[in-house]
Amino acid sequence: MTTNLPGSSTPDSHGAAVNQIPVAEANGFQLTFRHEAGIKILSTLVRASHDIEAWLRQHWLATPAPFYASVDLRNAGFKLAPVDTNLFPAGFNNLHRSSHPMCIQAIEHAIERVCPEAGKVLLIVESHSRNTFYFENVRVLLDLIERAGFEVAIGLLSEIDISADVSSPWQGWRHGVIQRHGDRVGLDDFDPCCIILNNDLSSGIPDQLLGIEQPVMPSPALGWRQRLKSRHFGFYRDIVDEFSQRFELDPWLLDARFRNCGQIDFQKRKGLDCLHHNAEQLFFDIRRKYEQYAIEREPFVVLKADAGTYGMAVMMIRDPDEVYHLNRRQRSRMSSGKGGLSVSQIILQEGVPTEELFGQQKYASESVIYMIDHTVVGGFYRCHSDKSAEESLNAPGAHFVPLPFSESCLNADPGALIENESNRLYVYGVVARLALLAAAHESRYHAGETA
Amino acid sequence: MTTNLPGSSTPDSHGAAVNQIPVAEANGFQLTFRHEAGIKILSTLVRASHDIEAWLRQHWLATPAPFYASVDLRNAGFKLAPVDTNLFPAGFNNLHRSSHPMCIQAIEHAIERVCPEAGKVLLIVESHSRNTFYFENVRVLLDLIERAGFEVAIGLLSEIDISADVSSPWQGWRHGVIQRHGDRVGLDDFDPCCIILNNDLSSGIPDQLLGIEQPVMPSPALGWRQRLKSRHFGFYRDIVDEFSQRFELDPWLLDARFRNCGQIDFQKRKGLDCLHHNAEQLFFDIRRKYEQYAIEREPFVVLKADAGTYGMAVMMIRDPDEVYHLNRRQRSRMSSGKGGLSVSQIILQEGVPTEELFGQQKYASESVIYMIDHTVVGGFYRCHSDKSAEESLNAPGAHFVPLPFSESCLNADPGALIENESNRLYVYGVVARLALLAAAHESRYHAGETA
């Protein structure tokens, strides 16, 4: 298939990719909240924007946000829900430059809270990436931290595996393999007051980071090995229930329903009955909701590894019986997450089709919202020319359209209770922050676990 | 004279005014840093931007910034200097909407610091204004505070004097005359956790605000009655000296020299010898600097009341002898500051001509930079069709062009060591923050005084 999107693309180590489309072209989007239920979401959240900000503020006091996050949102026109929350976000290179002042201000406040006096920050990055876009992401992060007034260095968990064509991705920046000195971690002659992780710790928490006295943000306990999607979406469900009660909205409109099964072995076909049963239940629930809102669509369900996999080990079914009839390729795909770990726990999530279609070709798109501390700082649309509105777009070949957030976000326009860019992005920022609040609860959960 | 600037204008209670010109038209500006000395300022500050941010951060730790401020900057092409620092800024209505997210984030952090738990804020505003633009400024502030997640009400120091055509400026907002209950101030059923002043206390600090337990921001000690320009610019001179030494710049390039005289009575022609002597000295100093930098201009000196007067009681001289030959109108003008108080202390300040000329008509302009907490949040160009490049532009008839800060500010572009919008605004943001730091020292000075 020929793509009409500009530029080429490659997935990076986080499945995030590449070529930015200028903001000016981003008006290739049509109205999305056309369904009655979508209009209800938009008008409710925009009208209550001041109360929502107060509500969120109270929650950040009780459960502080993790250092940063990106949230993938699917807007179906009749519902808007987060489908993935990444606590070690790459892709800062995909944000529009106009987002940088917001990023800098948020970084400053987040670091200041843990390092009121000192000014040295160590950014621990992925060591094994060969992806130039990931390097670019790191360089943007380093630059933002420096412009927030901090001295910054790059920490590697092991000697970097440098590919032939990327001779020195960290040239010009202080960098090295992290060293442990007593209860502190740093580099030669660089003793940071805090550590920021941009490495999702897929091999587990390294010994060097255990029991150190410096604060590490986000908590290593939120690394890929510990985190479960079912825990995140469980917290999210509770939060959306509370939020929906307060602001008089059906919680389903902001929540992709899920169920989970442990101990699935696709290769040996074990545990499939559990999957089938839960899929049946989920399809039943979705169909009832579709009837309630007169949505004329065929529901679908997404199967994902419960432990984060960034776009891998994801599968879509339209019928519960499909779980019994996976072909070899599908079984093998669902058995291998990032790093080749075998998948044993599976989450079934209500599929949310995207109504965001980019450009004349109407490419399927979803928005990715970036937050630092508890502030929405920017985002982009992820577009894919080869994927349908019901497929995961977090795949090789994705393209990125920066969101014009500086103009729009946080700027709900209650005077205009219709869909405009301002109001749409405000609503996205609210739902993304509800997912961030779920991550804050995860963080507290893990803190209790390790304390 | 006919003006080609769009819209009409009226000065507000702070001398700030009115009709915004769309950002799109703001590219009516030409390059300003054309002189060798100006290029030196630009390249030095842009190249050192990361170190400057770190330097500023260290200073905010030692001397926290006041709640907010606006700084008038004059860019002469060969020097860039603050000429007025307002700690109770009006004119938030003149900021571009794209500045709002930055404002909200900064407000949230500033209030959170003094009210970590509670969420009610009282904004004390001018009671006697009849200016609809001032009302609009207050409404923008209220909206920004609410959108930062706080409940907000308007406090008046006395019953508002409502003009016939402004029936209810605060309609839709909770408001009332402030009431003292023990050591706290609030309204009926509204007990704020902190108080923000947008009233410059020109009648002195009201009894109701003395000795209350709630934090008041900025400190009432920074009100118009207590503040002296000479103290502000004295602190500024020290700060610029330190800054210039650190970043290897001639401090004169960022500083309008000043001298001050006490006990001047223009009506009775007393104290004029002191003025004359200081004027001679100042002209001598400026001429020497003009020679050093080969600036082919006639120096001028501005006489201002040492106690803040927002554009009133300001006079320009080109020769020290002029102080002996003021006509009746000039003498009377210099004798009456805001509120009709007689002027007794005078500051003589090096005149900084503006090289910022707006549009085809080349209207004299200066930039006004807004800061909340220690963050540059936005600004605008103040243009005047009836004033020359050497006159004060803070006068009736001024027009306002919002600065495109969200795109540019904090975004120094060291790769392009030339003047572009980004770099120019970054440099403005640095110098404005040096003036803010001077205000922070004033605040500490007054805290020591009242403690």
Side-chain angles (χ1 to χ4, degrees), chain A residues 267 305 309 312-314 330-343:
Chain A
Q267 297 298 3
T309 52
M312 294 185 233
V314 171
Q330 288 170 318
R331 289 201 311 271
S332 141
R333 193 173 167 200
M334 290 308 292
S335 303
S336 63
K338 187 184 176 185
L341 294 174
S342 81
V343 166

Side-chain angles (χ1 to χ4, degrees), chain A residues 49-50 53-55 57-58 60-61 96-110 112-113 115-119 142-143 146-151 173 373-377 405-413 422, chain B residues 49-50 53-55 57-58 60-61 96-110 112-113 115-119 142-143 146-151 173 373-377 405-413 422:
Chain A
S49 60
H50 290 179
E53 295 307 315
W55 186 91
R57 217 181 73 75
Q58 288 306 317
W60 300 132
L61 291 174
H96 191 260
R97 193 178 145 84
S98 67
S99 302
H100 290 183
M102 290 291 285
C103 294
I104 290 166
Q105 202 189 149
I107 287 172
E108 191 191 342
H109 286 114
E112 223 166 57
R113 206 174 297 132
C115 299
E117 307 274 319
L142 292 166
D143 188 55
E146 269 204 354
R147 287 200 277 156
F150 299 93
E151 228 182 296
W173 295 96
D373 203 28
H374 54 242
T375 303
V376 176
V377 295
F405 258 101
S406 66
E407 288 281 340
S408 315
C409 202
L410 290 178
N411 268 324
D413 183 3
S422 223
Chain B
S49 60
H50 289 179
E53 296 307 315
W55 186 91
R57 217 180 74 75
Q58 288 305 316
W60 300 132
L61 290 175
H96 190 260
R97 192 178 146 85
S98 67
S99 301
H100 290 184
M102 291 291 285
C103 293
I104 291 167
Q105 202 188 149
I107 286 173
E108 191 191 341
H109 286 114
E112 223 165 56
R113 206 174 296 131
C115 298
E117 308 273 321
L142 292 167
D143 187 55
E146 270 206 352
R147 287 200 277 156
F150 299 94
E151 228 182 298
W173 294 97
D373 202 30
H374 53 244
T375 303
V376 177
V377 294
F405 258 101
S406 67
E407 288 282 339
S408 314
C409 202
L410 291 177
N411 269 325
D413 183 4
S422 221

Side-chain angles (χ1 to χ4, degrees), chain A residues 189-209:
Chain A
D189 302 325
F190 191 85
D191 182 29
C193 77
C194 76
I195 290 160
I196 297 173
L197 289 176
N198 197 245
N199 179 314
D200 62 12
L201 304 181
S202 50
S203 318
I205 304 175
D207 289 345
Q208 300 114 297
L209 293 182

Side-chain angles (χ1 to χ4, degrees), chain A residues 9 28 34 38 45 62 81 133-134 143 158 175 198 211-212 237 245 263 267 286 297 325 346 348 351 391 449:
Chain A
S9 76
R34 282 168 301 177
L45 269 53
F133 298 107
Y134 178 70
D143 188 55
S158 58
H175 64 279
N198 197 245
I212 61 171
R237 180 164 49 199
Q245 195 157 7
Q263 308 310 326
Q267 297 298 3
I286 303 170
R297 263 188 176 277
H325 304 103
I346 292 291
L348 296 99
E391 286 181 284
E449 202 177 40

Side-chain angles (χ1 to χ4, degrees), chain A residues 267-286:
Chain A
Q267 297 298 3
K268 296 183 182 157
R269 300 173 193 256
K270 281 187 179 155
L272 299 188
D273 289 346
C274 169
L275 273 191
H276 185 262
H277 168 74
N278 277 309
E280 271 189 329
Q281 198 60 49
L282 202 48
F283 272 104
F284 177 79
D285 290 346
I286 303 170

Side-chain angles (χ1 to χ4, degrees), chain A residues 30-282:
Chain A
Q30 53 195 355
L31 290 190
T32 44
F33 291 111
R34 282 168 301 177
H35 190 280
E36 194 187 329
I39 293 166
K40 170 81 177 165
I41 297 171
L42 188 80
S43 61
T44 303
L45 269 53
V46 168
R47 196 179 287 122
S49 60
H50 290 179
D51 291 337
I52 289 172
E53 295 307 315
W55 186 91
L56 282 168
R57 217 181 73 75
Q58 288 306 317
H59 281 77
W60 300 132
L61 291 174
T63 30
F67 180 71
Y68 52 14
S70 68
V71 172
D72 294 0
L73 289 181
R74 300 278 282 207
N75 181 350
F78 56 85
K79 79 184 290 174
L80 174 69
V83 293
D84 204 358
T85 302
N86 188 344
L87 296 176
F88 303 91
F92 277 93
N93 51 312
N94 288 325
L95 299 184
H96 191 260
R97 193 178 145 84
S98 67
S99 302
H100 290 183
M102 290 291 285
C103 294
I104 290 166
Q105 202 189 149
I107 287 172
E108 191 191 342
H109 286 114
I111 298 179
E112 223 166 57
R113 206 174 297 132
V114 297
C115 299
E117 307 274 319
K120 285 184 183 167
V121 173
L122 188 68
L123 181 71
I124 294 185
V125 304
E126 297 281 348
S127 302
H128 300 297
S129 179
R130 293 174 179 231
N131 186 303
T132 56
F133 298 107
Y134 178 70
F135 299 149
E136 190 51 35
N137 159 68
V138 170
R139 282 191 291 265
V140 169
L141 267 174
L142 292 166
D143 188 55
L144 293 171
I145 296 167
E146 269 204 354
R147 287 200 277 156
F150 299 93
E151 228 182 296
V152 64
I154 298 169
L156 302 166
L157 294 181
S158 58
E159 280 300 337
I160 190 164
D161 180 12
I162 295 167
S163 68
D165 57 332
V166 187
S167 59
S168 181
W170 312 130
Q171 201 171 18
W173 295 96
R174 194 192 311 217
H175 64 279
V177 177
I178 61 169
Q179 292 161 18
R180 179 79 176 242
H181 300 289
D183 287 343
R184 297 184 73 81
V185 153
L187 307 180
D188 274 342
D189 302 325
F190 191 85
D191 182 29
C193 77
C194 76
I195 290 160
I196 297 173
L197 289 176
N198 197 245
N199 179 314
D200 62 12
L201 304 181
S202 50
S203 318
I205 304 175
D207 289 345
Q208 300 114 297
L209 293 182
L210 288 174
I212 61 171
E213 64 180 36
Q214 294 131 310
V216 182
M217 304 185 297
S219 162
L222 295 170
W224 182 69
R225 275 292 187 91
Q226 277 72 34
R227 256 190 109 202
L228 292 177
K229 287 184 167 43
S230 54
R231 191 175 298 128
H232 176 72
F233 287 109
F235 282 124
Y236 182 75
R237 180 164 49 199
D238 295 344
I239 288 160
V240 166
D241 283 348
E242 186 195 333
F243 180 87
S244 301
Q245 195 157 7
R246 169 74 176 76
F247 297 104
E248 297 178 357
L249 208 63
D250 176 354
W252 180 74
L253 299 180
L254 303 180
D255 186 22
R257 291 278 166 89
F258 79 96
R259 292 173 158 266
N260 56 319
C261 285
Q263 308 310 326
I264 308 292
D265 189 327
F266 284 96
Q267 297 298 3
K268 296 183 182 157
R269 300 173 193 256
K270 281 187 179 155
L272 299 188
D273 289 346
C274 169
L275 273 191
H276 185 262
H277 168 74
N278 277 309
E280 271 189 329
Q281 198 60 49
L282 202 48

